[in-house]
Amino acid sequence: MKKAPIFLAPLFQERIWGGSELKKQYGYNIPSAQTGECWAISAHPNGPSVVREGDYTGKTLGELWDEHPEIFGHFDSQKFPLLTKILDANEDLSIQVHPNDEYANEFENGEFGKTECWYILDCDKDATMIFGHRAQNKEEFINMIDGGHWNDLLQRVKINPGDFFYVPSGTIHALCKGTLVLETQQSSDTTYRVYDYDRRDGNGNLRELHLEKAIEVTTVPHITSKVEPALIKMSGGSIVTFVEEDYFTVYKWDVQTEMELMQDAHFLLASVIEGQGTLCTEEGEYALQKGDHFILPHDLYSFKIKGTLQLISSHPNYKGSQHRKMESTARQMANI
């Protein structure tokens, strides 16, 4: 197996709330001015990524997962565990909630649950989002929904570019108008709508709500998961660890000149969110630019990134187990 990155072509999903920021900011060839989602690294059947170059050109990520488990360090999962998206919320998304693994497996045909997290890439000056609710028990939660007391029920928080939010399954949430987000999540496409502002689809029909399931899976009372980013400064840049939890660990690599890195995860997912540069491995050098998405395979232990650029990277974790952090290796190499 070559110790080379696997670059993936993004796939786009039109949404009633989507816009054209994915084209404006990343130069993507989007299908319309209502494009809401870039599925950047995905093996989910509703939007599989395709390898864009190299030995596996034309293969889907799902095919690679099944046919070449060595690329992923034989990670113990029947399905590729994560999904990376960029979301363009040109309008408010529906108020929604996602199930956990146990519920989704039973009621959604073996689907993963959906714990996710957001890095705010860009947003309007006064942008907000819905994050959590104020109900203290299920009875109060149901009564406030039945009465349409949305302003009393829903918690709205201010957001800024660079903010990071961890959104476990069971969390009531919604991105709001004027927000561009990179999302790292479990590989799932299960969403339960609680409220959709009485919007109608292209055929004039009200969009479906999933109140019974939403009420069952929502965490009541709401629990806010505290995010405490950990910064490590090193020669040529820095690494921020945003979250390390049951399903994934998420980092931001801020390359100022040149960073030499080592990874001890099964594999890494990476997305260039700003700037341009070069990825250097034993196999060669690979140009990086804003909007690129790639996977670093299991045996690619060491690499360099040169240039001025920022990347969001992640790797899967086994639920309930402890994993070594990438920054533990970075710390050994840092000039601090």
Side-chain angles (χ1 to χ4, degrees), residues 15-43:
R15 297 288 186 257
I16 193 171
W17 41 263
S20 55
E21 285 299 306
L22 292 169
K23 179 179 181 179
K24 292 178 183 177
Q25 298 215 27
Y26 293 93
Y28 293 142
N29 183 23
I30 60 176
S32 77
Q34 275 196 318
T35 303
E37 301 186 5
C38 163
W39 288 35
I41 303 176
S42 167

PDB file of all heavy atoms in Angstrom, residues 15-43:
ATOM      1  N   ARG A  15     -30.851  21.810  -0.795  1.00  0.00           N
ATOM      2  CA  ARG A  15     -31.723  21.898   0.364  1.00  0.00           C
ATOM      3  C   ARG A  15     -32.583  23.158   0.268  1.00  0.00           C
ATOM      4  O   ARG A  15     -32.159  24.166  -0.304  1.00  0.00           O
ATOM      5  CB  ARG A  15     -30.906  21.944   1.664  1.00  0.00           C
ATOM      6  CG  ARG A  15     -30.066  20.690   1.921  1.00  0.00           C
ATOM      7  CD  ARG A  15     -30.937  19.503   2.310  1.00  0.00           C
ATOM      8  NE  ARG A  15     -30.156  18.331   2.693  1.00  0.00           N
ATOM      9  CZ  ARG A  15     -29.963  17.263   1.919  1.00  0.00           C
ATOM     10  NH1 ARG A  15     -30.480  17.239   0.689  1.00  0.00           N
ATOM     11  NH2 ARG A  15     -29.255  16.226   2.349  1.00  0.00           N
ATOM     12  N   ILE A  16     -33.758  23.116   0.871  1.00  0.00           N
ATOM     13  CA  ILE A  16     -34.669  24.260   0.835  1.00  0.00           C
ATOM     14  C   ILE A  16     -34.039  25.493   1.477  1.00  0.00           C
ATOM     15  O   ILE A  16     -34.350  26.623   1.132  1.00  0.00           O
ATOM     16  CB  ILE A  16     -36.009  23.887   1.528  1.00  0.00           C
ATOM     17  CG1 ILE A  16     -37.082  24.920   1.231  1.00  0.00           C
ATOM     18  CG2 ILE A  16     -35.812  23.687   3.031  1.00  0.00           C
ATOM     19  CD1 ILE A  16     -38.471  24.489   1.708  1.00  0.00           C
ATOM     20  N   TRP A  17     -33.088  25.274   2.390  1.00  0.00           N
ATOM     21  CA  TRP A  17     -32.441  26.359   3.115  1.00  0.00           C
ATOM     22  C   TRP A  17     -31.057  26.707   2.555  1.00  0.00           C
ATOM     23  O   TRP A  17     -30.346  27.548   3.093  1.00  0.00           O
ATOM     24  CB  TRP A  17     -32.305  25.998   4.596  1.00  0.00           C
ATOM     25  CG  TRP A  17     -31.906  24.576   4.847  1.00  0.00           C
ATOM     26  CD1 TRP A  17     -32.731  23.531   5.150  1.00  0.00           C
ATOM     27  CD2 TRP A  17     -30.583  24.015   4.799  1.00  0.00           C
ATOM     28  NE1 TRP A  17     -32.005  22.361   5.305  1.00  0.00           N
ATOM     29  CE2 TRP A  17     -30.686  22.638   5.090  1.00  0.00           C
ATOM     30  CE3 TRP A  17     -29.312  24.568   4.548  1.00  0.00           C
ATOM     31  CZ2 TRP A  17     -29.576  21.786   5.132  1.00  0.00           C
ATOM     32  CZ3 TRP A  17     -28.207  23.727   4.590  1.00  0.00           C
ATOM     33  CH2 TRP A  17     -28.338  22.357   4.865  1.00  0.00           C
ATOM     34  N   GLY A  18     -30.653  26.059   1.471  1.00  0.00           N
ATOM     35  CA  GLY A  18     -29.302  26.226   0.944  1.00  0.00           C
ATOM     36  C   GLY A  18     -29.111  27.505   0.143  1.00  0.00           C
ATOM     37  O   GLY A  18     -30.058  28.241  -0.158  1.00  0.00           O
ATOM     38  N   GLY A  19     -27.866  27.765  -0.246  1.00  0.00           N
ATOM     39  CA  GLY A  19     -27.533  28.971  -1.001  1.00  0.00           C
ATOM     40  C   GLY A  19     -26.420  28.712  -1.993  1.00  0.00           C
ATOM     41  O   GLY A  19     -26.327  27.628  -2.575  1.00  0.00           O
ATOM     42  N   SER A  20     -25.548  29.696  -2.173  1.00  0.00           N
ATOM     43  CA  SER A  20     -24.474  29.596  -3.169  1.00  0.00           C
ATOM     44  C   SER A  20     -23.096  29.886  -2.574  1.00  0.00           C
ATOM     45  O   SER A  20     -22.134  30.099  -3.306  1.00  0.00           O
ATOM     46  CB  SER A  20     -24.748  30.544  -4.338  1.00  0.00           C
ATOM     47  OG  SER A  20     -24.924  31.878  -3.879  1.00  0.00           O
ATOM     48  N   GLU A  21     -22.980  29.895  -1.241  1.00  0.00           N
ATOM     49  CA  GLU A  21     -21.690  30.180  -0.609  1.00  0.00           C
ATOM     50  C   GLU A  21     -20.631  29.121  -0.910  1.00  0.00           C
ATOM     51  O   GLU A  21     -19.436  29.421  -0.921  1.00  0.00           O
ATOM     52  CB  GLU A  21     -21.860  30.318   0.908  1.00  0.00           C
ATOM     53  CG  GLU A  21     -22.502  31.613   1.361  1.00  0.00           C
ATOM     54  CD  GLU A  21     -21.684  32.830   0.961  1.00  0.00           C
ATOM     55  OE1 GLU A  21     -20.483  32.869   1.300  1.00  0.00           O
ATOM     56  OE2 GLU A  21     -22.245  33.724   0.306  1.00  0.00           O
ATOM     57  N   LEU A  22     -21.048  27.890  -1.145  1.00  0.00           N
ATOM     58  CA  LEU A  22     -20.073  26.844  -1.452  1.00  0.00           C
ATOM     59  C   LEU A  22     -19.345  27.137  -2.761  1.00  0.00           C
ATOM     60  O   LEU A  22     -18.170  26.792  -2.920  1.00  0.00           O
ATOM     61  CB  LEU A  22     -20.775  25.486  -1.516  1.00  0.00           C
ATOM     62  CG  LEU A  22     -21.304  24.958  -0.188  1.00  0.00           C
ATOM     63  CD1 LEU A  22     -22.207  23.745  -0.395  1.00  0.00           C
ATOM     64  CD2 LEU A  22     -20.154  24.614   0.754  1.00  0.00           C
ATOM     65  N   LYS A  23     -20.020  27.790  -3.674  1.00  0.00           N
ATOM     66  CA  LYS A  23     -19.373  28.209  -4.916  1.00  0.00           C
ATOM     67  C   LYS A  23     -18.535  29.459  -4.698  1.00  0.00           C
ATOM     68  O   LYS A  23     -17.390  29.548  -5.144  1.00  0.00           O
ATOM     69  CB  LYS A  23     -20.420  28.471  -5.994  1.00  0.00           C
ATOM     70  CG  LYS A  23     -19.825  28.946  -7.319  1.00  0.00           C
ATOM     71  CD  LYS A  23     -20.901  29.162  -8.375  1.00  0.00           C
ATOM     72  CE  LYS A  23     -20.280  29.608  -9.697  1.00  0.00           C
ATOM     73  NZ  LYS A  23     -21.341  29.802 -10.740  1.00  0.00           N
ATOM     74  N   LYS A  24     -19.091  30.431  -3.962  1.00  0.00           N
ATOM     75  CA  LYS A  24     -18.394  31.703  -3.742  1.00  0.00           C
ATOM     76  C   LYS A  24     -17.101  31.509  -2.955  1.00  0.00           C
ATOM     77  O   LYS A  24     -16.072  32.106  -3.275  1.00  0.00           O
ATOM     78  CB  LYS A  24     -19.315  32.676  -2.996  1.00  0.00           C
ATOM     79  CG  LYS A  24     -20.511  33.156  -3.802  1.00  0.00           C
ATOM     80  CD  LYS A  24     -21.392  34.066  -2.953  1.00  0.00           C
ATOM     81  CE  LYS A  24     -22.630  34.493  -3.706  1.00  0.00           C
ATOM     82  NZ  LYS A  24     -23.538  35.319  -2.846  1.00  0.00           N
ATOM     83  N   GLN A  25     -17.155  30.692  -1.916  1.00  0.00           N
ATOM     84  CA  GLN A  25     -16.013  30.592  -1.021  1.00  0.00           C
ATOM     85  C   GLN A  25     -15.036  29.475  -1.376  1.00  0.00           C
ATOM     86  O   GLN A  25     -13.863  29.537  -1.025  1.00  0.00           O
ATOM     87  CB  GLN A  25     -16.494  30.414   0.421  1.00  0.00           C
ATOM     88  CG  GLN A  25     -17.314  31.603   0.926  1.00  0.00           C
ATOM     89  CD  GLN A  25     -17.086  31.879   2.390  1.00  0.00           C
ATOM     90  OE1 GLN A  25     -16.038  31.576   2.939  1.00  0.00           O
ATOM     91  NE2 GLN A  25     -18.071  32.491   3.029  1.00  0.00           N
ATOM     92  N   TYR A  26     -15.520  28.433  -2.072  1.00  0.00           N
ATOM     93  CA  TYR A  26     -14.651  27.289  -2.366  1.00  0.00           C
ATOM     94  C   TYR A  26     -14.490  27.004  -3.851  1.00  0.00           C
ATOM     95  O   TYR A  26     -13.704  26.139  -4.235  1.00  0.00           O
ATOM     96  CB  TYR A  26     -15.179  26.039  -1.650  1.00  0.00           C
ATOM     97  CG  TYR A  26     -15.069  26.154  -0.158  1.00  0.00           C
ATOM     98  CD1 TYR A  26     -16.141  26.633   0.603  1.00  0.00           C
ATOM     99  CD2 TYR A  26     -13.893  25.835   0.511  1.00  0.00           C
ATOM    100  CE1 TYR A  26     -16.040  26.783   1.975  1.00  0.00           C
ATOM    101  CE2 TYR A  26     -13.780  25.970   1.882  1.00  0.00           C
ATOM    102  CZ  TYR A  26     -14.852  26.440   2.607  1.00  0.00           C
ATOM    103  OH  TYR A  26     -14.740  26.588   3.966  1.00  0.00           O
ATOM    104  N   GLY A  27     -15.249  27.718  -4.684  1.00  0.00           N
ATOM    105  CA  GLY A  27     -15.149  27.513  -6.121  1.00  0.00           C
ATOM    106  C   GLY A  27     -15.760  26.216  -6.597  1.00  0.00           C
ATOM    107  O   GLY A  27     -15.498  25.768  -7.717  1.00  0.00           O
ATOM    108  N   TYR A  28     -16.599  25.589  -5.782  1.00  0.00           N
ATOM    109  CA  TYR A  28     -17.218  24.331  -6.165  1.00  0.00           C
ATOM    110  C   TYR A  28     -18.242  24.542  -7.288  1.00  0.00           C
ATOM    111  O   TYR A  28     -18.921  25.576  -7.359  1.00  0.00           O
ATOM    112  CB  TYR A  28     -17.940  23.697  -4.978  1.00  0.00           C
ATOM    113  CG  TYR A  28     -17.059  23.227  -3.852  1.00  0.00           C
ATOM    114  CD1 TYR A  28     -17.470  23.367  -2.525  1.00  0.00           C
ATOM    115  CD2 TYR A  28     -15.833  22.617  -4.087  1.00  0.00           C
ATOM    116  CE1 TYR A  28     -16.696  22.913  -1.468  1.00  0.00           C
ATOM    117  CE2 TYR A  28     -15.043  22.163  -3.041  1.00  0.00           C
ATOM    118  CZ  TYR A  28     -15.470  22.323  -1.736  1.00  0.00           C
ATOM    119  OH  TYR A  28     -14.698  21.871  -0.694  1.00  0.00           O
ATOM    120  N   ASN A  29     -18.384  23.549  -8.109  1.00  0.00           N
ATOM    121  CA  ASN A  29     -19.386  23.551  -9.177  1.00  0.00           C
ATOM    122  C   ASN A  29     -20.685  22.987  -8.607  1.00  0.00           C
ATOM    123  O   ASN A  29     -20.965  21.797  -8.714  1.00  0.00           O
ATOM    124  CB  ASN A  29     -18.903  22.722 -10.364  1.00  0.00           C
ATOM    125  CG  ASN A  29     -19.877  22.755 -11.527  1.00  0.00           C
ATOM    126  OD1 ASN A  29     -20.684  23.679 -11.649  1.00  0.00           O
ATOM    127  ND2 ASN A  29     -19.811  21.742 -12.376  1.00  0.00           N
ATOM    128  N   ILE A  30     -21.461  23.851  -7.970  1.00  0.00           N
ATOM    129  CA  ILE A  30     -22.660  23.399  -7.271  1.00  0.00           C
ATOM    130  C   ILE A  30     -23.839  23.285  -8.239  1.00  0.00           C
ATOM    131  O   ILE A  30     -23.870  23.946  -9.278  1.00  0.00           O
ATOM    132  CB  ILE A  30     -23.009  24.346  -6.100  1.00  0.00           C
ATOM    133  CG1 ILE A  30     -23.269  25.772  -6.601  1.00  0.00           C
ATOM    134  CG2 ILE A  30     -21.896  24.333  -5.060  1.00  0.00           C
ATOM    135  CD1 ILE A  30     -23.719  26.718  -5.503  1.00  0.00           C
ATOM    136  N   PRO A  31     -24.825  22.456  -7.915  1.00  0.00           N
ATOM    137  CA  PRO A  31     -25.931  22.233  -8.852  1.00  0.00           C
ATOM    138  C   PRO A  31     -26.919  23.379  -8.957  1.00  0.00           C
ATOM    139  O   PRO A  31     -27.601  23.512  -9.974  1.00  0.00           O
ATOM    140  CB  PRO A  31     -26.616  20.978  -8.290  1.00  0.00           C
ATOM    141  CG  PRO A  31     -26.240  20.936  -6.849  1.00  0.00           C
ATOM    142  CD  PRO A  31     -24.864  21.519  -6.768  1.00  0.00           C
ATOM    143  N   SER A  32     -27.049  24.209  -7.911  1.00  0.00           N
ATOM    144  CA  SER A  32     -28.015  25.309  -7.953  1.00  0.00           C
ATOM    145  C   SER A  32     -27.709  26.301  -6.845  1.00  0.00           C
ATOM    146  O   SER A  32     -26.835  26.069  -6.011  1.00  0.00           O
ATOM    147  CB  SER A  32     -29.453  24.789  -7.793  1.00  0.00           C
ATOM    148  OG  SER A  32     -29.718  24.468  -6.437  1.00  0.00           O
ATOM    149  N   ALA A  33     -28.468  27.404  -6.834  1.00  0.00           N
ATOM    150  CA  ALA A  33     -28.320  28.416  -5.793  1.00  0.00           C
ATOM    151  C   ALA A  33     -29.069  28.041  -4.522  1.00  0.00           C
ATOM    152  O   ALA A  33     -29.232  28.880  -3.627  1.00  0.00           O
ATOM    153  CB  ALA A  33     -28.807  29.770  -6.307  1.00  0.00           C
ATOM    154  N   GLN A  34     -29.518  26.794  -4.441  1.00  0.00           N
ATOM    155  CA  GLN A  34     -30.092  26.255  -3.199  1.00  0.00           C
ATOM    156  C   GLN A  34     -29.311  25.013  -2.778  1.00  0.00           C
ATOM    157  O   GLN A  34     -29.872  24.007  -2.367  1.00  0.00           O
ATOM    158  CB  GLN A  34     -31.574  25.919  -3.376  1.00  0.00           C
ATOM    159  CG  GLN A  34     -32.497  27.118  -3.155  1.00  0.00           C
ATOM    160  CD  GLN A  34     -33.936  26.695  -2.947  1.00  0.00           C
ATOM    161  OE1 GLN A  34     -34.441  25.810  -3.620  1.00  0.00           O
ATOM    162  NE2 GLN A  34     -34.611  27.331  -2.002  1.00  0.00           N
ATOM    163  N   THR A  35     -27.994  25.108  -2.842  1.00  0.00           N
ATOM    164  CA  THR A  35     -27.132  24.002  -2.444  1.00  0.00           C
ATOM    165  C   THR A  35     -26.784  24.162  -0.972  1.00  0.00           C
ATOM    166  O   THR A  35     -26.109  25.105  -0.589  1.00  0.00           O
ATOM    167  CB  THR A  35     -25.858  23.957  -3.300  1.00  0.00           C
ATOM    168  OG1 THR A  35     -26.218  23.853  -4.682  1.00  0.00           O
ATOM    169  CG2 THR A  35     -24.987  22.772  -2.914  1.00  0.00           C
ATOM    170  N   GLY A  36     -27.242  23.230  -0.168  1.00  0.00           N
ATOM    171  CA  GLY A  36     -27.073  23.357   1.274  1.00  0.00           C
ATOM    172  C   GLY A  36     -25.904  22.586   1.846  1.00  0.00           C
ATOM    173  O   GLY A  36     -25.351  22.979   2.865  1.00  0.00           O
ATOM    174  N   GLU A  37     -25.516  21.477   1.196  1.00  0.00           N
ATOM    175  CA  GLU A  37     -24.527  20.604   1.811  1.00  0.00           C
ATOM    176  C   GLU A  37     -23.488  20.126   0.804  1.00  0.00           C
ATOM    177  O   GLU A  37     -23.825  19.703  -0.294  1.00  0.00           O
ATOM    178  CB  GLU A  37     -25.208  19.386   2.446  1.00  0.00           C
ATOM    179  CG  GLU A  37     -26.227  19.746   3.507  1.00  0.00           C
ATOM    180  CD  GLU A  37     -26.778  18.521   4.230  1.00  0.00           C
ATOM    181  OE1 GLU A  37     -26.296  17.404   3.957  1.00  0.00           O
ATOM    182  OE2 GLU A  37     -27.680  18.699   5.062  1.00  0.00           O
ATOM    183  N   CYS A  38     -22.241  20.191   1.224  1.00  0.00           N
ATOM    184  CA  CYS A  38     -21.134  19.526   0.552  1.00  0.00           C
ATOM    185  C   CYS A  38     -20.793  18.297   1.383  1.00  0.00           C
ATOM    186  O   CYS A  38     -20.355  18.427   2.525  1.00  0.00           O
ATOM    187  CB  CYS A  38     -19.934  20.468   0.452  1.00  0.00           C
ATOM    188  SG  CYS A  38     -18.364  19.659   0.085  1.00  0.00           S
ATOM    189  N   TRP A  39     -21.028  17.116   0.833  1.00  0.00           N
ATOM    190  CA  TRP A  39     -20.616  15.884   1.498  1.00  0.00           C
ATOM    191  C   TRP A  39     -19.184  15.635   1.057  1.00  0.00           C
ATOM    192  O   TRP A  39     -18.925  15.122  -0.037  1.00  0.00           O
ATOM    193  CB  TRP A  39     -21.548  14.741   1.138  1.00  0.00           C
ATOM    194  CG  TRP A  39     -22.916  14.863   1.779  1.00  0.00           C
ATOM    195  CD1 TRP A  39     -23.603  16.012   2.025  1.00  0.00           C
ATOM    196  CD2 TRP A  39     -23.730  13.795   2.262  1.00  0.00           C
ATOM    197  NE1 TRP A  39     -24.797  15.744   2.632  1.00  0.00           N
ATOM    198  CE2 TRP A  39     -24.914  14.387   2.790  1.00  0.00           C
ATOM    199  CE3 TRP A  39     -23.597  12.422   2.307  1.00  0.00           C
ATOM    200  CZ2 TRP A  39     -25.946  13.636   3.338  1.00  0.00           C
ATOM    201  CZ3 TRP A  39     -24.632  11.663   2.854  1.00  0.00           C
ATOM    202  CH2 TRP A  39     -25.782  12.254   3.368  1.00  0.00           C
ATOM    203  N   ALA A  40     -18.252  16.010   1.900  1.00  0.00           N
ATOM    204  CA  ALA A  40     -16.851  16.104   1.510  1.00  0.00           C
ATOM    205  C   ALA A  40     -16.111  14.776   1.650  1.00  0.00           C
ATOM    206  O   ALA A  40     -15.333  14.385   0.771  1.00  0.00           O
ATOM    207  CB  ALA A  40     -16.157  17.172   2.352  1.00  0.00           C
ATOM    208  N   ILE A  41     -16.326  14.099   2.776  1.00  0.00           N
ATOM    209  CA  ILE A  41     -15.724  12.781   3.019  1.00  0.00           C
ATOM    210  C   ILE A  41     -16.838  11.888   3.527  1.00  0.00           C
ATOM    211  O   ILE A  41     -17.241  11.972   4.685  1.00  0.00           O
ATOM    212  CB  ILE A  41     -14.565  12.863   4.031  1.00  0.00           C
ATOM    213  CG1 ILE A  41     -13.499  13.858   3.556  1.00  0.00           C
ATOM    214  CG2 ILE A  41     -13.943  11.485   4.239  1.00  0.00           C
ATOM    215  CD1 ILE A  41     -12.355  14.066   4.540  1.00  0.00           C
ATOM    216  N   SER A  42     -17.352  11.038   2.651  1.00  0.00           N
ATOM    217  CA  SER A  42     -18.556  10.285   2.985  1.00  0.00           C
ATOM    218  C   SER A  42     -18.535   8.910   2.331  1.00  0.00           C
ATOM    219  O   SER A  42     -18.224   8.775   1.144  1.00  0.00           O
ATOM    220  CB  SER A  42     -19.801  11.042   2.505  1.00  0.00           C
ATOM    221  OG  SER A  42     -20.954  10.210   2.552  1.00  0.00           O
ATOM    222  N   ALA A  43     -18.901   7.898   3.114  1.00  0.00           N
ATOM    223  CA  ALA A  43     -19.166   6.577   2.572  1.00  0.00           C
ATOM    224  C   ALA A  43     -20.636   6.199   2.768  1.00  0.00           C
ATOM    225  O   ALA A  43     -21.018   5.050   2.570  1.00  0.00           O
ATOM    226  CB  ALA A  43     -18.268   5.536   3.238  1.00  0.00           C
TER     227      ALA A  43
END
